[in-house]
Amino acid sequence: MVSVSVTGSVTPTTVSTLAGKRILLGISAGIAAYKSALIVRLLKQAGCEVRVVMTSGAQAFITPLTLQALSGEPVRTSLLDPEAEAGMGHIELARWADIVLIAPATADLIARLVHGMADDLLTTLCLASEAPKLIAPAMNQAMWRHPATQRNVAQLGADGWQLIGPAAGDQACGDVGPGRMSEPEAIFEAVTRHFSATPLTSNSPHVVITAGPTREALDPVRYLSNHSSGKMGYALAAAAVAQGARVTLISGPVALPTPAGVTRIDVESAEQMHQEAMRLAPEATLFIGCAAVADYRSASPAEHKLKKQADRDTLTLTLIKNPDIIADVAALPAGKRPMVVGFAAETQQLEQYAHDKLNRKGLDMIIANDVSQAGLGFGSNDNAALLLWRTAQGTEHRLEAPQPKTQLAQGIIRQALALLSF
């Protein structure tokens, strides 16, 4: 899931990347539909051809006339338009698109897409089009977290859809949490990355990456966690896609958009992350454990909110160890074990602790960073790292100076992919 700079501008490089690309933009019902106008504008500024398809509910939030004025093309709203369908217009439109982009996508639309429904123009186009498909969910935080929505989103990823977001924050209903549609600039960036990424082939490595923090519940409203923002893991995912890998990102709760071309699986706890990692690792070429996984969890999370006791100044919690994800992946038998890269976030004796973790957990490579340095590591856009990896002659290392996480990620992925060839 790389941190996207929201500038609202289109650079000359972006224009050359997107010039002449045909974008079919689908808009479903939701307050975020008003942001779709800016998406159209950004795409047009970059030289794209844009055609818009709206569901009936979307028209309650923004008018077709507005989008027609911005796109310069008629807006399609009905599957049963006699004039458009005289020449099988929905099939022609499906074949026309270089990509299908849906923003916003409601929980209802996502559910219908998963089940292959074709009960309106937009869902019919999605079934009929063989173009790559990107989708930006937008809904209430409770709807997003619902198990049915999470199952549907996971299935969309398995079907080849690329998720963009959602983001977290204030929502129109007054709630706060994940489910906000990613900002138009982030969606535009995802489209740009899609067209600039190296195409996948049958020989493309499958890279599985864990990212972000985990949350270990203490009661229904409190949890143990850490300061990880997920930026490093998401930067690694974007860098791996750019270098021609097929990428699956197992993400803890973060407020970052999914990088274009990445299949994202959202988890909360260390046990959930462990389950997904062990399911995916045997089919992976490279496994990168970048997540800041909680070492311990509550032995028995309270069923109801823990109340403050007036006669007690202390609270005792019993914690138990979480599974060691990176060690368990590294311990897989030959034939099922990918190359394993771990991370070590330290505050002292960086090289010594990194060597120890590399050997103790049986890793092939480790990236160690000093999280005590101001402006680096957790939550920041920059990082520095010590890279150590195994060779036939022993252990080699390289020190990476402070730099943007996106740039550091590219160097890490290049080194890891180079080791695969030995």
Side-chain angles (χ1 to χ4, degrees), residues 213-217 250 267-279 293-299 301 320-325 328:
T214 61
R215 290 178 178 173
E216 312 303 326
I250 307 171
V267 298
E268 288 270 340
S269 69
E271 288 186 300
Q272 292 170 349
M273 186 172 283
H274 180 268
Q275 180 180 353
E276 292 297 329
M278 299 309 293
R279 178 177 70 85
V293 183
D295 293 326
Y296 294 89
R297 69 182 185 274
S298 173
I320 58 176
K321 272 188 177 181
N322 270 323
D324 191 326
I325 297 173
D328 286 352

Side-chain angles (χ1 to χ4, degrees), residues 70-373:
L70 291 169
S71 68
E73 299 284 348
V75 173
R76 296 286 303 276
T77 60
S78 174
L79 178 61
L80 303 177
D81 182 339
E83 181 177 345
E85 290 305 311
M88 297 296 287
H90 68 282
I91 299 297
E92 178 187 359
L93 193 54
R95 291 171 177 166
W96 171 86
D98 288 324
I99 67 165
V100 175
L101 168 65
I102 301 180
T106 61
D108 173 74
L109 178 64
I110 290 172
R112 290 191 288 128
L113 290 172
V114 165
H115 291 285
M117 299 189 68
D119 54 353
D120 64 5
L121 178 58
L122 183 54
T123 53
T124 301
L125 285 169
C126 290
L127 276 184
S129 177
E130 296 180 350
K133 299 175 179 70
L134 283 67
I135 191 164
M139 64 197 73
N140 166 267
Q141 56 85 23
M143 296 172 70
W144 172 252
R145 288 189 171 115
H146 195 282
T149 302
Q150 290 302 305
R151 285 195 301 270
N152 289 339
V153 167
Q155 186 59 52
L156 277 185
D159 291 345
W161 286 79
Q162 299 175 20
L163 256 67
I164 307 170
D170 295 334
Q171 300 186 323
C173 61
D175 284 359
V176 178
R180 285 170 54 97
M181 187 178 84
S182 295
E183 292 303 318
E185 293 87 352
I187 294 171
F188 173 75
E189 177 71 14
V191 173
T192 303
R193 287 184 180 277
H194 168 81
F195 285 111
S196 61
T198 304
L200 295 177
T201 69
S202 58
N203 296 321
S204 295
H206 181 196
V207 180
V208 175
I209 302 172
T210 64
T214 61
R215 290 178 178 173
E216 312 303 326
L218 298 177
D219 63 21
V221 298
R222 301 183 181 92
Y223 54 81
L224 296 173
S225 192
N226 56 62
H227 294 295
S228 174
S229 65
K231 290 179 179 179
M232 191 69 240
Y234 277 63
L236 288 166
V241 168
Q243 295 182 44
R246 179 166 61 94
V247 180
T248 303
L249 182 64
I250 307 171
S251 177
V254 300
L256 296 172
T258 307
V262 171
T263 298
R264 172 174 160 177
I265 299 172
D266 288 310
V267 298
E268 288 270 340
S269 69
E271 288 186 300
Q272 292 170 349
M273 186 172 283
H274 180 268
Q275 180 180 353
E276 292 297 329
M278 299 309 293
R279 178 177 70 85
L280 291 168
E283 64 186 53
T285 315
L286 171 63
F287 182 92
I288 304 178
C290 187
V293 183
D295 293 326
Y296 294 89
R297 69 182 185 274
S298 173
S300 53
E303 182 179 355
H304 301 288
K305 179 182 177 182
L306 294 169
K307 305 298 289 184
K308 182 168 61 176
Q309 302 294 322
D311 59 342
R312 295 176 60 184
D313 293 331
T314 61
L315 174 67
T316 301
L317 298 173
T318 301
L319 303 179
I320 58 176
K321 272 188 177 181
N322 270 323
D324 191 326
I325 297 173
I326 197 75
D328 286 352
V329 171
L332 286 171
K336 292 188 175 181
R337 182 192 185 279
M339 193 180 105
V340 184
V341 177
F343 271 70
E346 305 292 350
T347 58
Q348 59 179 336
Q349 301 181 53
L350 188 66
E351 186 169 354
Q352 177 184 333
Y353 287 155
H355 272 288
D356 174 67
K357 188 172 182 179
L358 181 75
N359 296 322
R360 177 166 42 86
K361 298 198 175 186
L363 309 180
D364 301 295
M365 179 177 172
I366 193 165
I367 295 92
N369 59 296
D370 186 347
V371 295
S372 68
Q373 294 187 55

Side-chain angles (χ1 to χ4, degrees), residues 26-70:
I27 303 174
S28 64
I31 186 62
Y34 79 93
K35 297 182 180 180
S36 301
L38 182 53
I39 297 173
V40 174
R41 183 175 182 179
L42 289 169
L43 291 171
K44 290 292 290 184
Q45 286 178 341
C48 297
E49 296 180 46
V50 182
R51 296 185 184 180
V52 177
V53 174
M54 302 178 71
T55 66
S56 57
Q59 297 169 63
F61 295 92
I62 187 171
T63 68
L65 184 60
T66 298
L67 295 159
Q68 178 176 313
L70 291 169

